[in-house]
Amino acid sequence: MNVLEIKEVSKQFGTKKVLNQLSFSIPKGSIFGFVGENGAGKTTLMKLILGLDNLTAGEIYINGQQVHFGETKTNQMTGYLPDVPEFYDYMNSTEYLMLCAEITKIDKKQRRTRVEEMLELVGLANNDRRIKGYSRGMKQRLGIAQALLNEPEFLICDEPTSALDPSGRNEFLDLLASLRGRVTVLFSTHILSDVERICDRVGILHHGQLQVIGTLEELKERYAQAQIEIIFENNEAAQRFISQESNAVLASDEGQVFIRYQDSYQAAFARLIRQLDEQQLTAKSLRHIAPSLEQIYLEVTK
């Protein structure tokens, strides 16, 4: 079953078409990585899914219910975490979530228990500090708690790790990964390593169009090639090697070369050693580089 279905969605501002006939779906319980450069149209789509803006064309469904501009019935089953969540900083986390529980009409008898469960989930239990004293990572975790408070089936995260330090990013990604199977997540980001770490499926948005969609394994098999990195003593040696090897590409002026291969690493490595011996060239280092989402992204957006 698909929690989210996007059907031929387009969005235009004046003469500028930001989204152009987008169609994709997100299966229940999965974490979907929605990838694109800043300005690609990711946030625009988030607003359309939340019913905060009008579609130019197309349809959006959440659990089979159509999303309509200004009518938020589908938002009752949707949680949302923006890139910079805002809070009442003079409150502590418990006070803030109790207010959110009241606004979302969670049963009075269940509010305290539900708030405590969410604070435990995000690692903020028994924390009486005022929110104004929270780090950025703590605020993101509180934002997740707020987004999950009314037990939504679908969670939208819009660039949630873009301003976090490495420690905060690590904690947040671990938390998001722990939700797999319990909540369906749309994870919008331009940080490719975050997507590789936690996402089941990936869609790459470029110039308002969805270039590819699939599991990481499917996309790597289709678009990416394994490579061997060779570091030569100097750029002259690198150029000599490239002149005899059509699959080699000079990556820098420091003697760094990448060579793509399609057979096994063992066969490619043995072939490479023979070539170096025949050309009487010495490599400072050889390193295997596995296919990556970055390779795929660069391939489909070039």
Side-chain angles (χ1 to χ4, degrees), residues 204-224:
I204 297 178
L205 185 69
H206 185 60
H207 292 325
Q209 293 184 309
L210 199 63
Q211 303 296 320
V212 294
I213 186 170
T215 66
L216 275 171
E217 289 73 20
E218 290 169 347
L219 296 183
K220 286 178 179 179
E221 184 175 343
R222 181 176 177 185
Y223 292 100

Side-chain angles (χ1 to χ4, degrees), residues 228-232 238 241-242 248-251 255-259:
I228 298 175
E229 178 197 57
I230 316 169
I231 305 294
F232 288 96
F241 178 79
I242 289 174
V249 177
L250 182 66
Q256 182 187 36
V257 171
F258 288 104
I259 180 169

Side-chain angles (χ1 to χ4, degrees), residues 182-206:
R182 299 163 55 187
V183 182
T184 304
V185 179
L186 175 57
F187 179 40
S188 170
T189 184
H190 64 278
I191 304 175
L192 302 180
S193 59
D194 289 355
V195 173
E196 283 194 289
R197 177 170 166 180
I198 67 169
C199 293
D200 309 306
R201 295 174 61 81
V202 180
I204 297 178
L205 185 69
H206 185 60

Side-chain angles (χ1 to χ4, degrees), residues 103-131:
I103 292 172
T104 53
K105 298 180 180 179
I106 294 175
D107 188 277
K108 288 183 179 180
K109 297 178 181 179
Q110 299 178 356
R111 286 176 191 171
R112 175 68 63 173
T113 300
R114 183 63 183 162
V115 166
E116 291 175 352
E117 288 175 350
M118 287 299 95
L119 291 176
E120 183 70 34
L121 174 68
V122 301
L124 293 175
N126 304 314
N127 192 320
D128 293 328
R129 290 171 58 187
R130 300 298 165 186
I131 298 172

Side-chain angles (χ1 to χ4, degrees), residues 125-144:
N126 304 314
N127 192 320
D128 293 328
R129 290 171 58 187
R130 300 298 165 186
I131 298 172
K132 64 182 178 182
Y134 279 16
S135 67
R136 181 68 185 271
M138 292 173 70
K139 287 182 177 180
Q140 289 293 72
R141 284 187 277 143
L142 179 58
I144 278 280

